[in-house]
Structure formats: structure tokens, C-alpha cells
Amino acid sequence: MSYQVTIGIEIHCELKTKTKMFSAAPTSFGALANTKTSVIDLAHPGVLPCVNKEAVRLAIKACGGLHCTIDPLVKFDRKNYYYSDLPKGFQITQQFHPIGRDGYVVIKTDEGEKQVRIERIHMEEDTAKQFHKDTGTYIDFNRAGTPLIEIVSRPDMHSAQEAAAYVEALRRTLFYLNVSDVKMEEGSMRCDVNISLSDDPNKLGTKVEIKNLNSIANVQKAVQAEIERQSALLDAHEPIIQSTRRFDEPSKTTVLMRKKEGNVDYKYFPEPNIFPIQLDEQWIESILNHLEELPEQRLERFMTTFGLNEYDASVMVNDRDMADFFEEVMKDTKEAKKAANWVIGDLSAWLNKNNKTFATNPCKATDIARLVNLIEEGTISGKQAKEVFEEVMTGKKPDDVIQEKGMQQVSDDSTLIAMINEVLDANPQSIEDYKNGKNRAVGFLMGQLMKASKGQANPKKANGLLVEELKKR
């Protein structure tokens, strides 16, 4: 039996600040445990929080990029609960006055574009991090107090594919805005998915939460696994238990963490140590007026300005560093399609093979542009260019490699005709085959010509001259 699937997603995203949300302690991933903390993060008696202005600015940018209405009155609240990774015994958050409301993200589905609504965006502080080992549970307080925004969607998604597309669209937008580095593998973007199944399209089923998904691929796999699990239970007329689960990668199933018997009462109340802050409207306006170009805007520009097809433009826009590199290449060439092919194809393959990214790319954009221009000018062939490219990736200049290897392509008519006639004189049978309508003879003769010229004959020009000379025989 088929069921109505309803999905909502909550995303916690660490903001790209140098210091924490309410203290001057530095934010740092991978630092020695418990070395990036302060008395404020550790909740020593008598300490007071101070709001990080940069965190507020980045939250406003996120709201702007995700089309939210921004509340200029910033208020914080206490979320009270006791857990070993929460040193204060409460978390400072924005329960009643989120900084952003009623936004949306556009995703692409098999049925076309779809708008997924965002209910709210609120600021809060991160918790510490726990490590469970055989010898016990260890806590690193370095992460405690790191600035976060939580982005809560409406339950507008209805498949694993839509859930993954939403998280990817959100990740890409936040990265383009420089709000966060959105490295899910490092925990700077964490995803909780709520799923319910129902046999009544007008009624929601029992909600099950999957916690802390750490990659786009795992979002899709976990949601699909949970849909299949709940479907099997409903088919067997067994109840769905409200619970929190996690995704187990080896078994590709969701695993029970804890059951929920109702909503937890966090006893929210206004944070008494942070007075409400009225943001200057002109400051907000200035931030929104200087937002970076969004992915969908760049996609459209790549297609209209450079004439790229949607696939090539999408591949590059999905990797901002790749798109930035391509734009640098285009400053020195007019051959957009050929440049895109080199960036998406050979260069990307080389970087993957050598465990590098476009952020750590050793190649200069001017060298790729020069390579594209040399092919277009007929100085070298496409095959020769691949050989030159390998040398370029070691730090050499394209022109120097061509000079060293004697690769200059022969495009002079008289020189080519002389070589063609030598090849024809040595292959009389191929001339007869051509006269008898066997066009494959041209391919054979071109092969002999390229061999005789050591690959330096301009293929396009040589092919035309070869046919002309054949007709004279």
C-alpha cells in the first residue's frame, strides 16, 4: 500500500565567526580538546554573556538569502534541560522571537521546481561534544558556545529525493553567502529529519525523528530507509512509535535511540542577562544590499553571459570554488564551452586523482585559458593539449612545454600538401579504395599522415587538403 509521506527538516548551522556567540573564546575545529573555552562557556558563577555582533550580521545574511522576514528586535530565551554536553544546564536560544520567519528554498524535482517553505531561523549557542569510548564518555567543551542558526522547514517534502535536494540547496546558499563553511563531515552543518507516514492524505501520521545526519547522501538514504520501515509496519497493521532514531550506515537502516512519550517541557523563559536589542534598520538594509551573488543567480548568468548549457553551468555552480576558477579562466579566453570542458573534465579529474580540490588547486587559470586558446588557434591538437596539461600541472607554462617538446602544430598549406602527397604516393591502394567509394580510406590516410607528421599536422586543415589531393589523383 502507498502512504502519504510528510517530511520536515531542522538544520543546525555553525556561523563563520572568529569568536563564540556570547564570549570572546575562539571558534576552532580540530583544536586540542578543552583549549578553546572561557569561563562564560563553562558557566562559572557570576559571568555574563555578551552578544556577538558578527553572528547577528551573518544570521541576517542567511535570512536575506533564504527570503525570510527579519525581526529587527533581537531577543533571547533560555531553554532549560540537563545533559552532560550542556555546561550551563540551559541553552541560550530564540524560542519566542526568531530573527527570521516565513522564508523559502527552491528545489528541483522530477516534476519541476518546487518551493519548500522555511518556518523560522533562530540564533543560539552550540553544545559541547561527547565522545563515547570503551573507557567511558569524554566531553570536549571547545564547541560549547559556538554561534549557530537553526533553520526549521515547513513539512513540505514528500520523498527522500526532495529531502536531499532541500538540504543541498540550503547548504549551497549558505556557502555562497559566506555564512558558514557548511562542512557536514566536521559537524558545522547538522541535519535532523522528521518523517511521518499516513494512509489519509489529509492527516499526518506519527512523527519519527532521525538525528544528526552528516552528509547529503545519508539524508537521502536515511529518509528512504525510514519510509520503508514505517511502510512495512503500517502494512502489518502495527503502530508507529514516536521516537528518535539514528542512521546506521553499515546496515543502511535507522536504529532506535529513545522513545518519546510527548513533547519535552523545556520551561522556556526570556534570558534575563541579555536585554532586548533593537537593530538599526539602516544596518540591516546595508547587509541585505551587499549580499553575495546567490547560486541561482550565478547559474542564470553563466547560461546567459557565457552561453553554457544548464548541465555544465549547474556542475560548476554547485562547487563555488570551481565556478570562481572558471570565471578567472574566462578573463583570458572567449571559448566558454571549451574552457568549461577542461575545468569540469580534465582539471577536475586531476584534482580528484591527487586528493585536491579547487580550493587547493595548484593550476593557474591563465594557463588553462592559454591551453584553450592554443587549441583554438591550431597551434596544438586536442590530443597534444592533454600531454601539455600534465606538464602544466607540475608548474610549467603551456608555451614552454610546447617549445620543449617541439609540438607546434603544422598548419601551413604547402607543408601539409607536401606531406599528404608523400603519404598518397606510399599508399596507392588507398587511393583506389577512395575512388571506389570506400570513404574509410580517408581515415586510414589521415592516420598515416598524423604518424608521418608525429602528430603535428593540423587535423582539421589536413583532412580538407587530403580530400582535395585525393580528388586530383
Side-chain angles (χ1 to χ4, degrees):
M1 183 175 177
S2 63
Y3 299 96
Q4 174 72 26
V5 177
T6 304
I7 302 168
I9 298 180
E10 299 168 4
I11 288 180
H12 290 83
C13 182
E14 291 183 355
L15 298 174
K16 205 173 180 179
T17 59
K18 293 181 180 179
T19 56
K20 295 190 179 177
M21 189 72 220
F22 302 110
S23 81
T27 55
S28 177
F29 176 80
L32 185 66
N34 298 311
T35 59
K36 306 295 181 183
T37 63
S38 81
V39 292
I40 294 174
D41 307 321
L42 297 175
H44 284 211
V47 298
L48 294 172
C50 181
V51 177
N52 186 331
K53 182 178 179 180
E54 177 63 8
V56 177
R57 187 183 75 86
L58 294 178
I60 290 170
K61 287 181 70 175
C63 291
L66 298 172
H67 316 286
C68 291
T69 300
I70 296 168
D71 189 343
L73 184 62
V74 173
K75 291 185 178 181
F76 287 95
D77 307 293
R78 283 192 185 183
K79 178 181 181 180
N80 296 276
Y81 67 98
Y82 293 93
Y83 202 61
S84 53
D85 65 3
L86 194 68
K88 293 186 177 102
F90 62 86
Q91 181 186 36
I92 301 178
T93 183
Q94 288 188 302
Q95 173 66 13
F96 303 116
H97 297 275
I99 193 165
R101 290 183 183 272
D102 301 325
Y104 66 87
V105 168
V106 176
I107 64 171
K108 291 186 178 180
T109 71
D110 293 338
E111 288 76 38
E113 288 190 342
K114 174 177 179 174
Q115 196 176 96
V116 177
R117 295 170 299 162
I118 292 172
E119 179 181 334
R120 57 188 281 145
I121 296 177
H122 61 263
M123 296 180 287
E124 60 187 23
E125 58 182 336
D126 209 344
T127 61
K129 188 172 183 180
Q130 296 190 117
F131 297 88
H132 303 288
K133 300 183 179 182
D134 294 339
T135 53
T137 295
Y138 300 83
I139 304 177
D140 180 5
F141 288 98
N142 282 350
R143 198 177 71 181
T146 298
L148 287 178
I149 51 172
E150 182 173 351
I151 304 168
V152 182
S153 82
R154 298 280 185 181
D156 288 348
M157 291 154 279
H158 303 288
S159 71
Q161 292 79 10
E162 287 187 4
Y166 169 77
V167 176
E168 172 57 29
L170 205 61
R171 186 203 66 81
R172 189 170 59 237
T173 296
L174 295 173
F175 186 62
Y176 264 78
L177 290 170
N178 287 310
V179 165
S180 171
D181 59 19
V182 290
K183 293 179 180 177
M184 295 184 75
E185 70 281 2
E186 293 183 2
S188 61
M189 179 171 164
R190 307 191 293 278
C191 185
D192 300 336
V193 180
N194 295 301
I195 307 171
S196 70
L197 268 64
S198 173
D199 54 9
D200 183 349
N202 299 312
K203 184 180 178 182
L204 293 175
T206 302
K207 182 173 69 174
V208 173
E209 182 181 33
I210 308 175
K211 294 286 285 185
N212 293 330
L213 295 168
N214 61 0
S215 73
I216 306 293
N218 279 351
V219 168
Q220 183 160 339
K221 291 175 186 175
V223 171
Q224 188 58 42
E226 183 60 19
I227 290 172
E228 291 171 4
R229 186 189 75 87
Q230 291 190 32
S231 294
L233 288 172
L234 292 173
D235 286 345
H237 304 291
E238 295 182 22
I240 305 296
I241 305 299
Q242 185 178 355
S243 58
T244 298
R245 304 178 72 87
R246 65 175 178 83
F247 179 60
D248 182 64
E249 285 193 63
S251 66
K252 294 181 173 56
T253 60
T254 63
V255 178
L256 179 67
M257 293 174 67
R258 54 186 175 269
K259 294 180 180 179
K260 290 185 176 181
E261 296 182 356
N263 292 324
V264 179
D265 182 7
Y266 291 110
K267 296 182 172 58
Y268 289 102
F269 62 83
E271 168 56 49
N273 291 324
I274 302 175
F275 293 150
I277 302 168
Q278 183 68 50
L279 300 179
D280 180 45
E281 295 281 1
Q282 289 186 340
W283 184 61
I284 296 173
E285 202 63 33
S286 174
I287 294 169
L288 298 179
N289 288 338
H290 292 88
L291 290 180
E292 291 85 346
E293 183 181 42
L294 294 172
E296 54 268 27
Q297 295 169 335
R298 195 173 210 179
L299 177 68
E300 183 65 29
R301 182 167 60 81
F302 273 23
M303 293 170 66
T304 55
T305 303
F306 299 126
L308 297 178
N309 60 43
E310 186 173 2
Y311 174 80
D312 287 347
S314 295
V315 169
M316 286 191 286
V317 168
N318 283 340
D319 183 335
R320 191 185 69 190
D321 293 322
M322 183 195 293
D324 290 345
F325 184 84
F326 172 75
E327 294 222 53
E328 288 298 311
V329 172
M330 288 307 301
K331 290 178 180 179
D332 294 292
T333 184
K334 295 180 180 178
E335 301 298 324
K337 175 58 180 173
K338 289 184 175 66
N341 288 344
W342 275 95
V343 172
I344 294 170
D346 296 77
L347 182 53
S348 292
W350 189 95
L351 294 173
N352 288 334
K353 181 180 176 182
N354 291 276
N355 295 317
K356 293 186 180 295
T357 66
F358 275 89
T360 58
N361 175 19
C363 180
K364 290 184 172 61
T366 51
D367 291 336
I368 295 297
R370 180 60 180 154
L371 207 55
V372 169
N373 291 338
L374 287 166
I375 300 168
E376 189 63 21
E377 292 163 5
T379 305
I380 55 174
S381 66
K383 184 177 180 181
Q384 288 174 317
K386 291 184 181 294
E387 187 178 345
V388 174
F389 169 76
E390 292 298 328
E391 298 287 333
V392 165
M393 296 309 293
T394 67
K396 293 183 179 180
K397 294 293 180 186
D399 291 279
D400 293 341
V401 176
I402 293 166
Q403 190 70 33
E404 289 171 11
K405 294 181 175 290
M407 283 184 169
Q408 288 88 343
Q409 197 162 256
V410 177
S411 299
D412 176 66
D413 285 9
S414 60
T415 305
L416 286 172
I417 290 170
M419 286 194 286
I420 288 168
N421 281 312
E422 285 181 15
V423 170
L424 293 177
D425 291 342
N427 296 279
Q429 183 58 50
S430 293
I431 298 172
E432 288 301 315
D433 289 345
Y434 177 76
K435 289 180 178 179
N436 292 327
K438 296 179 180 178
N439 289 330
R440 67 176 179 272
V442 175
F444 171 77
L445 290 168
M446 272 298 296
Q448 295 301 303
L449 175 60
M450 296 306 292
K451 185 177 179 182
S453 69
K454 297 180 180 179
Q456 289 180 257
N458 184 319
K460 187 175 180 180
K461 184 170 279 192
N463 192 77
L465 293 172
L466 173 61
V467 173
E468 288 179 17
E469 292 302 310
L470 277 169
K471 290 176 180 177
K472 295 176 184 178
R473 297 278 179 138

